[in-house]
Amino acid sequence: MRCATARRRLTEVVLGEASPRQRAMVSRHLEGCGACREELRRTERLIRALAVLPHGPLPAGLEGKTLGRIRVLAADTAHAGAWRQLRRWAGFGLPALAAAAVLFVTVRSEDAADLVPGERVAAKAVPTIAGEIDEPMRHAAPSVGRKSAQVARSTPKTTPAPMPREDPPVDVRPELPDELLARPDLFVDLPMLTQMEKLENYDAIVGVDLPDRGRPNG
Amino acid sequence: MAPRPADAHSASAPRGNGPEADPDVILMLRVRDGDETAFPELFRRLAPRVYHYVRRLLGHDARAEEVTQDVFVQVYRFRDRWRPDGRLATWVFTIATNLCLNELRRPERQLRVDLGEQRGPRDSAADESELPDAGAPGPEEQAAGRQLLRALDAAVAALPAKQRAALLLSRIDGLAHRDVAAVLGSTEGAVKALLFRATQALKERLKDFL
């Protein structure tokens, strides 16, 4: 083994990282080379010196400053998260709440005597639509749904008439269970909420003063 | 044969084979789970190594304090991105190395690399430390050992940044070659080459002391 090759392996030999074969070859070379033995001694001394360098305490106050920054970061993160949640709720929750409030007011504007327990009152829960659809449907029989809403818009403004008890009520949602139909104050028809935005002749909407979130009709 | 530097840091050496046996990994998992007592404990375990590594890599005591704080702020901020698939020290030293190399690349910062000018009362580590073979009785040998350590500090500071980083991580912090390669974004072969060149440069600069 040449001196240059042996000296390249000296650090690994000192640290015990050399393979047994490499260690044996370096040892054989060192037996016959005084210069490399001197180099080995210097390498050992250097490695030992490096190993004792890191001693020393931390600067005073470093721990306090660092943990203080961490606490501020944690507080800012928590605050930002809460604010994001609030903005999300304000973006989606308030319009839905306003629409639900409008529906509630609409239902309560009906005469309480007209509500008979057990009677199908889903159509009564949105009386204007049912009442206004009912008349044109008798004459023109339009389909239920968007077309009905358009028909409802085209009819003149009328006070919704109470449903005749002898006639079966117009049931636009026959699949609803009776117990829900009996409690319109608990039932919020979501499709109807979206349709309410398109109704322009709704006295209840016009008459109610809601917090500043704009009219449903925009 | 001199003990390996890694033995000096057995407190954070894994007891088993997997990273889950690393006590630092266990602490970091508690930090991720929101345990408020875990991060201060993790700081106390790692900060001395990180600070001295940063100090020697930057060659500037005051800036080293700030960068050490930045390292642990980054560790906390990105705790959810850390994956327990290796030693935590490797990840922390990667952050420290990147922050230091960014700092060293700034042209407006003329960092004094001569650590001899930075020494204050607390920088007496080299004064207090003795080489293991300084069981030599004479005070002259002890003084010579202290001179060697001071000269070594300055010689390390004069190395090119990557050689210095590889040397500090491997010889002082006891990281394995593969971990040093991960920290530096390099290969094991390249790390061995860096270490060889660094060692040769130190031996040349310290030939009067060794």
Side-chain angles (χ1 to χ4, degrees):
Chain A
M1 177 180 272
R2 292 183 299 172
C3 289
T5 306
R7 292 185 184 188
R8 268 203 298 275
R9 300 274 182 253
L10 285 180
T11 303
E12 290 171 327
V13 168
V14 169
L15 292 174
E17 294 173 355
S19 66
R21 180 171 169 271
Q22 288 173 335
R23 196 162 49 243
M25 290 175 66
V26 170
S27 294
R28 271 200 301 276
H29 176 83
L30 292 177
E31 286 171 6
C33 183
C36 286
R37 282 199 299 275
E38 174 62 19
E39 189 68 14
L40 174 67
R41 189 196 66 78
R42 295 176 64 217
T43 302
E44 287 175 333
R45 191 165 166 83
L46 175 63
I47 298 298
R48 281 197 293 269
L50 284 168
V52 301
L53 267 183
H55 291 185
L58 279 181
L62 180 58
E63 179 176 340
K65 288 178 199 169
T66 306
L67 296 181
R69 283 178 67 180
I70 299 295
R71 279 191 286 272
V72 169
L73 177 65
D76 284 348
T77 305
H79 177 73
W83 184 240
R84 260 197 302 276
Q85 288 282 359
L86 183 64
R87 281 202 304 241
R88 203 174 291 138
W89 183 82
F92 296 106
L94 277 180
L97 194 63
V102 166
L103 178 66
F104 179 78
V105 167
T106 302
V107 170
R108 288 299 184 197
S109 70
E110 283 290 319
D111 188 350
D114 290 336
L115 297 177
V116 177
E119 184 177 334
R120 287 187 168 197
V121 292
K124 273 189 173 296
V126 281
T128 302
I129 291 179
E132 292 182 349
I133 289 177
D134 197 43
E135 283 298 323
M137 280 181 72
R138 282 185 190 150
H139 298 294
S143 60
V144 179
R146 289 182 185 273
K147 212 170 178 182
S148 305
Q150 291 170 359
V151 170
R153 274 200 297 275
S154 64
T155 54
K157 205 184 271 195
T158 57
T159 304
M163 299 294 293
R165 291 179 190 171
E166 59 274 14
D167 295 333
V170 176
D171 189 0
V172 297
R173 293 167 301 281
E175 69 279 4
L176 290 172
D178 291 350
E179 49 271 27
L180 274 181
L181 296 175
R183 293 295 303 276
D185 54 327
L186 296 181
F187 177 63
V188 177
D189 186 2
L190 289 178
M192 202 54 65
L193 283 177
T194 59
Q195 293 297 325
M196 283 169 63
E197 295 178 1
K198 304 174 186 176
L199 296 176
E200 296 175 354
N201 302 323
Y202 227 29
D203 293 339
I205 295 174
V206 172
V208 172
D209 187 16
L210 294 175
D212 185 23
R213 272 289 165 181
R215 301 286 181 179
N217 292 336
Chain B
M1 194 162 291
R4 297 181 60 176
D7 294 340
H9 306 286
S10 58
S12 56
R15 297 190 188 94
N17 289 330
E20 64 278 358
D22 186 351
D24 297 334
V25 169
I26 295 170
L27 266 178
M28 191 63 189
L29 288 171
R30 283 172 51 197
V31 170
R32 270 205 335 197
D33 290 341
D35 184 347
E36 293 181 358
T37 63
F39 195 83
E41 193 177 331
L42 186 69
F43 177 86
R44 286 177 206 118
R45 282 181 64 87
L46 293 178
R49 291 171 64 191
V50 171
Y51 169 73
H52 289 293
Y53 169 71
V54 168
R55 190 174 73 89
R56 289 198 162 87
L57 192 51
L58 288 182
H60 195 280
D61 288 2
R63 193 65 189 115
E65 286 193 46
E66 296 168 12
V67 171
T68 303
Q69 291 184 41
D70 293 342
V71 168
F72 285 94
V73 168
Q74 296 286 65
V75 166
Y76 183 81
R77 178 178 282 142
F78 298 114
R79 61 196 184 280
D80 292 328
R81 295 192 196 176
W82 168 74
R83 293 289 170 264
D85 51 3
R87 288 186 61 192
L88 178 67
T90 305
W91 185 61
V92 174
F93 278 106
T94 302
I95 295 173
T97 303
N98 290 339
L99 289 175
C100 288
L101 293 179
N102 287 343
E103 185 70 21
L104 290 170
R105 284 188 201 114
R106 290 189 186 186
E108 66 273 15
R109 288 193 177 271
Q110 300 298 322
L111 299 177
R112 292 181 299 168
V113 297
D114 184 1
L115 281 180
E117 298 180 19
Q118 299 292 329
R119 290 186 178 277
R122 61 176 168 78
D123 272 331
S124 57
D127 293 338
E128 294 167 359
S129 299
E130 291 182 359
L131 297 179
D133 63 350
E140 288 180 5
E141 287 79 5
Q142 291 180 11
R146 285 194 291 272
Q147 278 185 352
L148 168 60
L149 292 177
R150 278 201 201 93
L152 180 58
D153 252 343
V156 168
L159 290 172
K162 274 214 163 178
Q163 285 184 25
R164 188 158 74 244
L167 184 81
L168 294 172
L169 290 168
S170 172
R171 302 292 178 244
I172 296 180
D173 289 292
L175 267 65
H177 289 168
R178 67 175 181 278
D179 293 328
V180 177
V183 169
L184 298 179
S186 185
T187 62
E188 281 193 53
V191 167
K192 287 183 182 176
L194 284 172
L195 289 173
F196 176 74
R197 288 199 291 270
T199 310
Q200 292 301 106
L202 289 178
K203 283 196 277 189
E204 180 60 31
R205 285 181 72 103
L206 299 171
K207 57 188 174 187
D208 296 334
F209 298 91
L210 294 174

